[in-house]
Amino acid sequence: DVKVTQSSRYLVKRTGEKVFLECVQDMDHENMFWYRQDPGLGLRLIYFSYDVKMKEKGDIPEGYSVSREKKERFSLILESASTNQTSMYLCASSLFGSEQYFGPGTRLTVT
Amino acid sequence: QKEVEQNSGPLSVPEGAIASLNCTYSDRGSQSFFWYRQYSGKSPELIMFIYSNGDKEDGRFTAQLNKASQYVSLLIRDSQPSDSATYLCAVPIFGNEKLTFGTGTRLTIIP
């Protein structure tokens, strides 16, 4: 079974804080993804990585950065959290050309 | 035109009936199509994928693909209350590793 884990299920941070969200997959998948999901807007891709140290911007990268130092781990960084980054954050992974598997999600609230 | 379109619903279906969910996509070159189920507050879970024209059955679920008309549908037979969820259609766009998701159809099965 594919397993994608995320570091926190719920997180509350203050405006201006630096926030790290971590994602780990145990199936040796090449691709890893970070999405955010908001009511009425669906899933939106923030960043995508297809290999260690490789990254590609998604649809809404502004205000976010990512790091992939090891194949199994993909981190999303909010350099200075803002209230409009309050959302559900979902990590996913996949083999090349295959379906994506999602982690449980992190519900982030920025106050 | 959006790349992947779904009716947002809500779609209400009596228990035991067939639920029919539809999705249209814009990229004629798309080769694979995915259906995800998402319960409220949870992450998306892959339930079906289809690559070839025609029908693919898995238990109570049938995915139908018509590439000429650029639509893919999901039928759920003998609908159960536990099928109440949002169903997301996902399509790789422009032949790359990223999936574009529809905004989802919210399905409610009425006991």
Side-chain angles (χ1 to χ4, degrees):
Chain A
D1 268 0
V2 176
K3 191 162 186 185
V4 182
T5 57
Q6 295 184 230
S7 49
S8 306
R9 291 300 305 273
Y10 300 94
L11 207 52
V12 179
K13 295 292 182 180
R14 293 190 183 274
T15 301
E17 279 193 82
K18 191 169 186 175
V19 182
F20 293 88
L21 302 181
E22 295 225 307
C23 175
V24 178
Q25 51 94 4
D26 67 357
M27 287 302 292
D28 204 34
H29 285 174
E30 294 90 357
N31 299 327
M32 295 188 76
F33 307 83
W34 275 106
Y35 296 90
R36 64 178 282 179
Q37 188 174 34
D38 302 286
L41 296 177
L43 277 166
R44 292 182 292 169
L45 182 65
I46 304 171
Y47 267 99
F48 157 52
S49 170
Y50 49 92
D51 201 350
V52 174
K53 297 190 187 294
M54 306 304 287
K55 62 185 178 184
E56 190 174 307
K57 291 180 181 178
D59 300 317
I60 51 162
E62 296 78 20
Y64 303 95
S65 62
V66 291
S67 172
R68 193 166 180 201
E69 297 295 320
K70 293 185 178 182
K71 190 175 185 180
E72 67 271 19
R73 190 178 297 267
F74 192 34
S75 301
L76 179 70
I77 303 150
L78 287 65
E79 294 289 342
S80 177
S82 63
T83 55
N84 63 11
Q85 292 179 309
T86 292
S87 187
M88 169 71 95
Y89 288 88
L90 291 159
C91 175
S93 72
S94 72
L95 291 168
F96 280 136
S98 292
E99 61 273 16
Q100 293 181 19
Y101 294 90
F102 285 84
T106 296
R107 187 165 293 282
L108 172 67
T109 302
V110 182
T111 62
Chain B
Q1 181 190 2
K2 290 183 181 177
E3 292 168 330
V4 179
E5 291 202 61
Q6 297 180 254
N7 286 329
S8 59
L11 175 66
S12 296
V13 173
E15 183 175 356
I18 296 175
S20 178
L21 306 162
N22 298 313
C23 172
T24 58
Y25 60 94
S26 61
D27 182 12
R28 285 193 171 275
S30 296
Q31 296 296 315
S32 52
F33 306 86
F34 305 95
W35 282 102
Y36 287 82
R37 176 178 63 199
Q38 187 174 24
Y39 293 116
S40 181
K42 303 292 187 183
S43 61
E45 170 194 13
L46 180 72
I47 54 171
M48 289 285 288
F49 60 88
I50 186 166
Y51 299 111
S52 304
N53 265 337
D55 295 1
K56 179 183 177 183
E57 191 174 312
D58 184 2
R60 295 187 296 111
F61 297 95
T62 299
Q64 298 177 317
L65 174 60
N66 184 323
K67 289 187 178 181
S69 300
Q70 294 175 249
Y71 80 78
V72 56
S73 26
L74 180 70
L75 301 179
I76 307 174
R77 289 183 302 282
D78 187 24
S79 297
Q80 303 296 309
S82 59
D83 296 324
S84 296
T86 296
Y87 289 80
L88 304 171
C89 171
V91 181
I93 299 293
F94 309 123
N96 64 35
E97 296 294 318
K98 294 181 281 188
L99 291 178
T100 296
F101 288 82
T103 51
T105 299
R106 187 156 56 95
L107 173 68
T108 301
I109 306 302
I110 304 167

